[in-house]
Amino acid sequence: MSRVLVVDDEPGLRRALSINLSARGWDVTVAADGAAALEAAATAHPDVVLLDLGLPDLDGLEVIAGIRGWSPVPIIVLTARTASADAVDALDAGADDYVTKPFAMDVLLARLRAAVRRGAAHDSAPEVLDVDGLHIDLARRTVTRDGEPVRLTPTEWNLLQVLVTNAGRLVGQTQLLKEVWGPGYGRETNYLRVYVAQLRRKLEKVPGAPVHLITEPGMGYRFEL
């Protein structure tokens, strides 16, 4: 049974989510504010966190940062905020997915299941990945495509490593820039466009129609298996 922490200050929605998720086999813990959420995340050890951004005490981004300080647990933001900037801020803070209210329960359940699968895969992330003719060895820092070695520059490799390590998860633009180029970077999105294009030419069978190196416009990139 997967454990989910539901964080929302609306009692009605909190209760509805608890009932619906429990009925579908989830072990549900609820919290009504940021402080309770941080405590529950530490004590209940959820497999996934469903987090509202508009909390009465702490901003949801502060809760994400607090959890990310010690845990890689998948976090799905659930909010009425629809501006793309809010999604970008949440993803850059460390959220894994973003769902806006109102939402369909079956869609939310699918997102939760996917997040738990990605979390389990990330916890046991293999050092070697074989997918669609690509052989990526993170330990040896080597890549082959259909058995032929692929030469990557150090920057291309570092970018690929971050994406592969987070396979299936959306990695925000700011996070990628800081992890690959350093903490002084965060807005140079043109760097990402150039280097992701280079990786596609080297790794994708059809660079113009990528199936692994996927762009989420305005938000970031993901490596799909």
Side-chain angles (χ1 to χ4, degrees), residues 153-220:
T153 68
T155 300
E156 289 170 348
W157 171 259
N158 291 338
L159 179 58
L160 180 64
Q161 184 177 40
V162 174
L163 291 171
V164 168
T165 301
N166 293 279
R169 296 175 57 192
L170 175 61
V171 185
Q173 293 175 337
T174 301
Q175 179 184 346
L176 275 171
L177 285 165
K178 289 183 177 179
E179 289 199 34
V180 177
W181 280 272
Y185 295 80
R187 298 184 179 181
E188 295 81 356
T189 55
N190 58 306
Y191 290 12
L192 294 174
R193 288 193 295 272
V194 169
Y195 279 90
V196 168
Q198 292 175 186
L199 283 176
R200 285 176 177 151
R201 285 194 293 272
K202 294 181 178 182
L203 304 181
E204 295 279 4
K205 291 184 177 180
V206 183
V211 296
H212 300 299
L213 293 160
I214 306 300
T215 301
E216 295 289 351
M219 292 189 284

Coordinates of all heavy atoms in Angstrom, one line a residue, residues 153-220:
T153 N 30.7 15.9 -25.2 CA 31.5 16.9 -24.5 C 31.2 16.8 -23.0 O 30.2 16.3 -22.7 CB 31.3 18.3 -25.0 OG1 29.9 18.7 -24.6 CG2 31.4 18.4 -26.5
P154 N 32.1 17.3 -22.2 CA 31.8 17.3 -20.7 C 30.5 17.9 -20.4 O 29.7 17.4 -19.5 CB 33.0 18.1 -20.1 CG 34.1 17.8 -21.1 CD 33.5 17.8 -22.4
T155 N 30.1 19.0 -21.0 CA 28.9 19.7 -20.7 C 27.7 18.8 -21.2 O 26.7 18.7 -20.5 CB 28.8 21.1 -21.4 OG1 29.9 21.9 -20.9 CG2 27.5 21.8 -21.1
E156 N 27.8 18.2 -22.4 CA 26.7 17.4 -22.9 C 26.5 16.2 -21.9 O 25.4 15.8 -21.6 CB 27.1 16.9 -24.3 CG 27.0 17.9 -25.4 CD 27.6 17.5 -26.7 OE1 28.2 16.4 -26.7 OE2 27.4 18.1 -27.7
W157 N 27.6 15.6 -21.5 CA 27.5 14.5 -20.6 C 26.9 14.9 -19.2 O 26.0 14.2 -18.7 CB 28.9 13.9 -20.3 CG 28.8 12.9 -19.2 CD1 29.1 13.0 -17.9 CD2 28.2 11.6 -19.3 NE1 28.8 11.9 -17.1 CE2 28.2 11.0 -18.0 CE3 27.7 10.8 -20.4 CZ2 27.8 9.7 -17.8 CZ3 27.2 9.5 -20.1 CH2 27.3 9.0 -18.8
N158 N 27.3 16.0 -18.7 CA 26.7 16.5 -17.4 C 25.2 16.7 -17.5 O 24.4 16.4 -16.6 CB 27.4 17.7 -16.9 CG 28.8 17.5 -16.5 OD1 29.2 16.3 -16.1 ND2 29.7 18.5 -16.5
L159 N 24.8 17.3 -18.6 CA 23.4 17.5 -18.9 C 22.6 16.2 -19.0 O 21.6 16.0 -18.4 CB 23.2 18.4 -20.1 CG 21.7 18.7 -20.6 CD1 21.0 19.4 -19.5 CD2 21.8 19.5 -21.8
L160 N 23.2 15.3 -19.8 CA 22.5 14.0 -19.9 C 22.5 13.2 -18.6 O 21.4 12.6 -18.3 CB 23.3 13.1 -20.9 CG 22.8 11.7 -21.2 CD1 21.4 11.8 -21.8 CD2 23.7 10.9 -22.1
Q161 N 23.5 13.3 -17.8 CA 23.5 12.6 -16.5 C 22.4 13.1 -15.6 O 21.7 12.3 -14.9 CB 24.9 12.8 -15.9 CG 25.0 12.1 -14.5 CD 26.4 12.2 -14.0 OE1 27.0 13.3 -14.0 NE2 27.0 11.2 -13.4
V162 N 22.2 14.4 -15.5 CA 21.1 14.9 -14.7 C 19.8 14.4 -15.2 O 18.9 14.0 -14.4 CB 21.2 16.5 -14.7 CG1 19.9 17.0 -13.9 CG2 22.4 17.0 -14.0
L163 N 19.6 14.5 -16.5 CA 18.3 14.0 -17.0 C 18.1 12.5 -16.8 O 16.9 12.1 -16.5 CB 18.2 14.4 -18.5 CG 18.1 15.9 -18.8 CD1 18.3 16.2 -20.3 CD2 16.8 16.5 -18.3
V164 N 19.1 11.7 -17.1 CA 18.9 10.3 -16.9 C 18.7 9.9 -15.5 O 17.9 9.0 -15.1 CB 20.2 9.6 -17.5 CG1 20.2 8.1 -17.1 CG2 20.1 9.7 -19.0
T165 N 19.5 10.6 -14.6 CA 19.3 10.3 -13.1 C 17.9 10.6 -12.7 O 17.4 9.9 -11.8 CB 20.3 11.1 -12.3 OG1 21.6 10.8 -12.7 CG2 20.2 10.8 -10.8
N166 N 17.2 11.5 -13.3 CA 15.9 11.9 -13.0 C 14.9 11.4 -14.1 O 13.9 12.0 -14.4 CB 15.7 13.4 -12.9 CG 16.5 13.9 -11.7 OD1 16.0 13.9 -10.6 ND2 17.7 14.4 -11.9
A167 N 15.2 10.2 -14.7 CA 14.4 9.7 -15.8 C 12.9 9.7 -15.5 O 12.5 9.2 -14.4 CB 14.9 8.3 -16.2
G168 N 12.1 10.2 -16.4 CA 10.7 10.2 -16.2 C 10.2 11.4 -15.5 O 9.0 11.7 -15.5
R169 N 11.1 12.2 -14.9 CA 10.7 13.4 -14.1 C 11.0 14.6 -14.9 O 12.0 14.7 -15.6 CB 11.4 13.4 -12.8 CG 11.1 12.3 -11.8 CD 12.0 12.4 -10.6 NE 11.9 13.6 -9.9 CZ 12.7 14.0 -8.9 NH1 13.7 13.3 -8.6 NH2 12.5 15.2 -8.3
L170 N 10.1 15.6 -14.7 CA 10.4 16.9 -15.3 C 11.5 17.6 -14.5 O 11.3 17.8 -13.3 CB 9.1 17.7 -15.4 CG 9.2 19.2 -15.9 CD1 9.8 19.2 -17.3 CD2 7.9 19.9 -15.8
V171 N 12.5 18.0 -15.1 CA 13.6 18.8 -14.5 C 13.5 20.2 -14.9 O 13.6 20.5 -16.1 CB 15.0 18.2 -14.8 CG1 16.1 18.9 -13.9 CG2 15.0 16.7 -14.5
G172 N 13.3 21.1 -14.0 CA 13.1 22.5 -14.3 C 14.4 23.2 -15.0 O 15.5 22.7 -14.7
Q173 N 14.2 24.2 -15.7 CA 15.3 24.9 -16.4 C 16.3 25.4 -15.4 O 17.5 25.3 -15.6 CB 14.7 26.0 -17.3 CG 13.8 25.6 -18.4 CD 13.2 26.7 -19.2 OE1 13.1 27.8 -18.6 NE2 12.9 26.5 -20.4
T174 N 15.8 26.1 -14.4 CA 16.8 26.6 -13.4 C 17.6 25.5 -12.8 O 18.8 25.7 -12.6 CB 16.0 27.4 -12.4 OG1 15.3 28.5 -13.0 CG2 17.0 28.1 -11.3
Q175 N 17.0 24.4 -12.4 CA 17.7 23.3 -11.8 C 18.8 22.8 -12.7 O 19.9 22.6 -12.3 CB 16.7 22.2 -11.4 CG 17.5 21.0 -10.7 CD 16.5 19.9 -10.4 OE1 15.3 20.0 -10.5 NE2 17.1 18.7 -10.2
L176 N 18.4 22.6 -14.0 CA 19.4 22.1 -14.9 C 20.6 23.1 -15.1 O 21.7 22.6 -15.1 CB 18.7 21.9 -16.3 CG 18.0 20.6 -16.5 CD1 17.2 20.6 -17.8 CD2 19.0 19.4 -16.5
L177 N 20.3 24.3 -15.2 CA 21.3 25.3 -15.4 C 22.3 25.3 -14.2 O 23.5 25.4 -14.4 CB 20.7 26.7 -15.6 CG 20.1 26.9 -17.0 CD1 19.3 28.2 -17.0 CD2 21.2 27.0 -18.1
K178 N 21.7 25.3 -13.0 CA 22.6 25.3 -11.8 C 23.4 24.1 -11.6 O 24.5 24.1 -11.2 CB 21.7 25.6 -10.6 CG 21.2 27.0 -10.6 CD 20.3 27.3 -9.3 CE 19.9 28.8 -9.3 NZ 19.1 29.1 -8.1
E179 N 22.8 22.9 -11.9 CA 23.5 21.6 -11.8 C 24.6 21.4 -12.8 O 25.6 20.9 -12.5 CB 22.5 20.5 -11.8 CG 21.6 20.4 -10.5 CD 21.0 19.0 -10.3 OE1 21.7 18.0 -10.7 OE2 19.9 19.0 -9.8
V180 N 24.3 21.9 -14.0 CA 25.3 21.7 -15.1 C 26.3 22.8 -15.2 O 27.5 22.6 -15.4 CB 24.5 21.5 -16.5 CG1 25.5 21.3 -17.6 CG2 23.6 20.3 -16.4
W181 N 25.9 24.1 -15.1 CA 26.8 25.2 -15.3 C 27.2 25.8 -14.0 O 28.2 26.5 -14.0 CB 26.1 26.2 -16.2 CG 26.2 25.9 -17.7 CD1 27.3 26.2 -18.5 CD2 25.3 25.1 -18.5 NE1 27.0 25.6 -19.8 CE2 25.8 25.0 -19.8 CE3 24.0 24.6 -18.2 CZ2 25.1 24.3 -20.8 CZ3 23.4 23.9 -19.2 CH2 23.9 23.8 -20.5
G182 N 26.5 25.6 -12.9 CA 26.9 26.2 -11.6 C 25.8 27.1 -11.0 O 24.9 27.5 -11.7
P183 N 26.0 27.4 -9.7 CA 25.0 28.2 -9.0 C 24.8 29.6 -9.5 O 23.8 30.3 -9.2 CB 25.5 28.2 -7.6 CG 27.0 27.9 -7.7 CD 27.1 27.0 -8.9
G184 N 25.8 30.2 -10.3 CA 25.6 31.5 -10.8 C 24.7 31.6 -12.0 O 24.5 32.7 -12.6
Y185 N 24.2 30.5 -12.5 CA 23.4 30.4 -13.7 C 22.0 30.1 -13.3 O 21.7 29.4 -12.3 CB 23.9 29.4 -14.7 CG 25.3 29.7 -15.2 CD1 26.4 29.4 -14.5 CD2 25.4 30.3 -16.5 CE1 27.7 29.7 -15.0 CE2 26.7 30.6 -17.0 CZ 27.8 30.3 -16.3 OH 29.0 30.6 -16.7
G186 N 21.0 30.6 -14.1 CA 19.6 30.3 -13.8 C 18.7 30.8 -14.9 O 17.5 30.4 -15.0
R187 N 19.2 31.8 -15.7 CA 18.3 32.4 -16.7 C 18.8 32.1 -18.1 O 18.1 32.5 -19.1 CB 18.2 33.9 -16.5 CG 17.6 34.2 -15.1 CD 17.4 35.7 -15.0 NE 16.7 36.1 -13.7 CZ 16.4 37.3 -13.4 NH1 16.7 38.3 -14.2 NH2 15.8 37.6 -12.2
E188 N 19.9 31.5 -18.3 CA 20.5 31.3 -19.6 C 19.9 30.1 -20.3 O 20.5 29.1 -20.7 CB 22.0 31.1 -19.5 CG 22.8 32.3 -19.0 CD 22.7 32.4 -17.4 OE1 22.0 31.6 -16.8 OE2 23.4 33.3 -16.9
T189 N 18.6 30.2 -20.6 CA 17.8 29.1 -21.1 C 18.3 28.8 -22.6 O 18.1 27.6 -23.1 CB 16.3 29.3 -21.1 OG1 16.1 30.6 -21.8 CG2 15.8 29.5 -19.7
N190 N 18.9 29.7 -23.2 CA 19.5 29.5 -24.6 C 20.5 28.4 -24.5 O 20.7 27.6 -25.5 CB 20.0 30.7 -25.2 CG 21.1 31.4 -24.4 OD1 20.9 31.6 -23.2 ND2 22.2 31.6 -25.0
Y191 N 21.3 28.3 -23.4 CA 22.3 27.2 -23.3 C 21.6 25.9 -23.4 O 22.1 25.0 -24.0 CB 23.0 27.3 -21.9 CG 23.9 28.5 -21.7 CD1 24.0 29.6 -22.6 CD2 24.8 28.5 -20.6 CE1 24.8 30.6 -22.4 CE2 25.6 29.6 -20.4 CZ 25.7 30.6 -21.3 OH 26.5 31.7 -21.1
L192 N 20.5 25.7 -22.7 CA 19.8 24.4 -22.7 C 19.3 24.1 -24.1 O 19.4 22.9 -24.5 CB 18.6 24.5 -21.7 CG 19.0 24.7 -20.2 CD1 17.7 24.8 -19.4 CD2 19.8 23.4 -19.7
R193 N 18.7 25.1 -24.8 CA 18.2 24.8 -26.1 C 19.3 24.3 -27.0 O 19.2 23.3 -27.8 CB 17.6 26.0 -26.7 CG 16.2 26.4 -26.1 CD 15.5 27.4 -26.9 NE 16.2 28.7 -26.9 CZ 16.0 29.6 -26.0 NH1 15.2 29.5 -25.0 NH2 16.7 30.8 -26.1
V194 N 20.5 24.9 -26.9 CA 21.6 24.5 -27.8 C 22.1 23.1 -27.4 O 22.3 22.3 -28.3 CB 22.8 25.5 -27.7 CG1 24.0 25.0 -28.3 CG2 22.4 26.9 -28.3
Y195 N 22.3 22.8 -26.2 CA 22.9 21.6 -25.8 C 22.0 20.4 -25.9 O 22.3 19.3 -26.2 CB 23.5 21.7 -24.4 CG 24.9 22.3 -24.4 CD1 25.1 23.7 -24.3 CD2 26.0 21.5 -24.6 CE1 26.3 24.3 -24.3 CE2 27.3 22.1 -24.6 CZ 27.4 23.5 -24.5 OH 28.7 24.1 -24.6
V196 N 20.7 20.7 -25.6 CA 19.7 19.6 -25.8 C 19.6 19.2 -27.3 O 19.5 18.1 -27.6 CB 18.3 20.0 -25.2 CG1 17.2 19.0 -25.7 CG2 18.4 20.0 -23.7
A197 N 19.6 20.3 -28.1 CA 19.6 20.0 -29.6 C 20.8 19.2 -30.0 O 20.7 18.2 -30.8 CB 19.6 21.3 -30.4
Q198 N 22.0 19.5 -29.4 CA 23.2 18.7 -29.7 C 23.0 17.2 -29.3 O 23.4 16.3 -30.0 CB 24.4 19.3 -29.1 CG 24.8 20.6 -29.7 CD 25.9 21.3 -29.0 OE1 26.3 22.5 -29.3 NE2 26.5 20.7 -28.0
L199 N 22.5 17.0 -28.1 CA 22.3 15.7 -27.6 C 21.3 14.9 -28.4 O 21.5 13.7 -28.7 CB 21.7 15.7 -26.1 CG 22.8 16.0 -25.0 CD1 22.1 16.1 -23.7 CD2 23.8 14.9 -25.0
R200 N 20.2 15.6 -28.9 CA 19.3 14.9 -29.8 C 19.9 14.5 -31.1 O 19.6 13.4 -31.6 CB 18.1 15.9 -30.1 CG 17.1 16.0 -28.9 CD 16.1 17.0 -29.2 NE 15.1 17.1 -28.1 CZ 14.4 18.2 -27.8 NH1 14.6 19.3 -28.5 NH2 13.6 18.2 -26.8
R201 N 20.8 15.3 -31.6 CA 21.5 14.9 -32.9 C 22.3 13.7 -32.7 O 22.5 12.8 -33.6 CB 22.3 16.1 -33.4 CG 21.5 17.2 -34.1 CD 22.4 18.1 -34.9 NE 23.3 18.9 -34.0 CZ 23.0 20.0 -33.5 NH1 21.8 20.6 -33.7 NH2 23.8 20.7 -32.7
K202 N 22.9 13.5 -31.5 CA 23.8 12.4 -31.2 C 23.0 11.1 -30.7 O 23.5 10.0 -30.9 CB 24.8 12.8 -30.2 CG 25.8 13.9 -30.7 CD 26.8 14.2 -29.6 CE 27.8 15.3 -30.2 NZ 28.9 15.6 -29.2
L203 N 21.9 11.3 -30.0 CA 21.3 10.2 -29.4 C 19.9 9.8 -29.9 O 19.6 8.6 -29.9 CB 21.1 10.5 -27.9 CG 22.3 10.9 -27.1 CD1 22.0 11.2 -25.6 CD2 23.4 9.8 -27.2
E204 N 19.1 10.7 -30.4 CA 17.8 10.4 -30.9 C 17.9 9.8 -32.4 O 18.7 10.2 -33.2 CB 16.9 11.6 -31.0 CG 16.6 12.2 -29.6 CD 15.5 11.5 -28.9 OE1 15.0 10.4 -29.4 OE2 15.1 11.9 -27.8
K205 N 17.1 8.8 -32.7 CA 17.0 8.2 -34.0 C 16.5 9.3 -35.0 O 17.0 9.3 -36.1 CB 16.2 7.0 -34.0 CG 16.8 5.8 -33.3 CD 15.9 4.6 -33.4 CE 16.7 3.4 -32.7 NZ 15.9 2.2 -32.7
V206 N 15.5 10.1 -34.6 CA 15.0 11.1 -35.4 C 15.1 12.4 -34.6 O 14.2 12.7 -33.8 CB 13.6 10.9 -35.9 CG1 13.1 12.0 -36.8 CG2 13.4 9.5 -36.6
P207 N 16.2 13.2 -34.7 CA 16.3 14.3 -33.8 C 15.2 15.3 -33.8 O 14.9 16.0 -32.8 CB 17.6 15.0 -34.3 CG 18.4 13.8 -34.9 CD 17.3 13.0 -35.5
G208 N 14.5 15.5 -35.0 CA 13.4 16.4 -35.1 C 12.2 15.9 -34.5 O 11.2 16.7 -34.3
A209 N 12.1 14.6 -34.1 CA 10.9 14.1 -33.5 C 11.4 13.2 -32.3 O 11.3 12.0 -32.3 CB 10.1 13.2 -34.4
P210 N 12.0 13.8 -31.3 CA 12.6 13.1 -30.2 C 11.6 12.3 -29.4 O 10.4 12.7 -29.2 CB 13.2 14.2 -29.3 CG 12.4 15.4 -29.6 CD 12.0 15.3 -31.1
V211 N 12.0 11.1 -28.9 CA 11.1 10.3 -28.0 C 11.7 10.2 -26.6 O 11.0 9.7 -25.7 CB 10.9 8.9 -28.6 CG1 10.1 9.0 -29.9 CG2 12.2 8.2 -28.8
H212 N 13.0 10.6 -26.4 CA 13.6 10.5 -25.1 C 13.9 11.8 -24.5 O 13.6 12.1 -23.3 CB 14.9 9.6 -25.2 CG 14.7 8.3 -25.7 ND1 13.9 7.3 -25.1 CD2 15.1 7.6 -26.8 CE1 13.9 6.2 -25.7 NE2 14.6 6.4 -26.8
L213 N 14.5 12.7 -25.2 CA 14.9 14.1 -24.7 C 13.7 15.0 -25.0 O 13.6 15.6 -26.1 CB 16.2 14.5 -25.4 CG 17.4 13.7 -24.9 CD1 18.5 13.9 -25.9 CD2 17.8 14.1 -23.5
I214 N 12.8 15.1 -24.1 CA 11.5 15.8 -24.3 C 11.6 17.2 -23.7 O 12.0 17.4 -22.5 CB 10.4 15.0 -23.7 CG1 10.4 13.6 -24.2 CG2 9.0 15.7 -24.0 CD1 10.2 13.5 -25.7
T215 N 11.1 18.2 -24.4 CA 10.9 19.6 -23.9 C 9.5 19.8 -23.4 O 8.6 19.5 -24.1 CB 11.2 20.6 -25.1 OG1 12.5 20.4 -25.6 CG2 11.1 22.0 -24.6
E216 N 9.5 20.4 -22.2 CA 8.2 20.9 -21.7 C 8.3 22.4 -21.8 O 9.0 23.1 -21.0 CB 8.0 20.5 -20.2 CG 7.9 19.0 -20.0 CD 6.5 18.4 -20.5 OE1 5.7 19.2 -20.9 OE2 6.4 17.2 -20.6
P217 N 7.6 23.0 -22.8 CA 7.8 24.4 -23.1 C 7.7 25.3 -21.9 O 6.7 25.2 -21.2 CB 6.8 24.7 -24.2 CG 6.6 23.4 -24.8 CD 6.7 22.4 -23.7
G218 N 8.7 26.2 -21.7 CA 8.6 27.1 -20.6 C 8.9 26.6 -19.2 O 9.0 27.4 -18.3
M219 N 9.1 25.3 -19.1 CA 9.3 24.7 -17.8 C 10.6 23.9 -17.7 O 11.3 24.2 -16.7 CB 8.1 23.8 -17.4 CG 6.8 24.5 -17.2 SD 5.4 23.5 -16.5 CE 5.0 22.6 -18.0
G220 N 10.9 23.0 -18.6 CA 12.1 22.3 -18.4 C 12.1 21.1 -19.4 O 11.5 21.1 -20.5

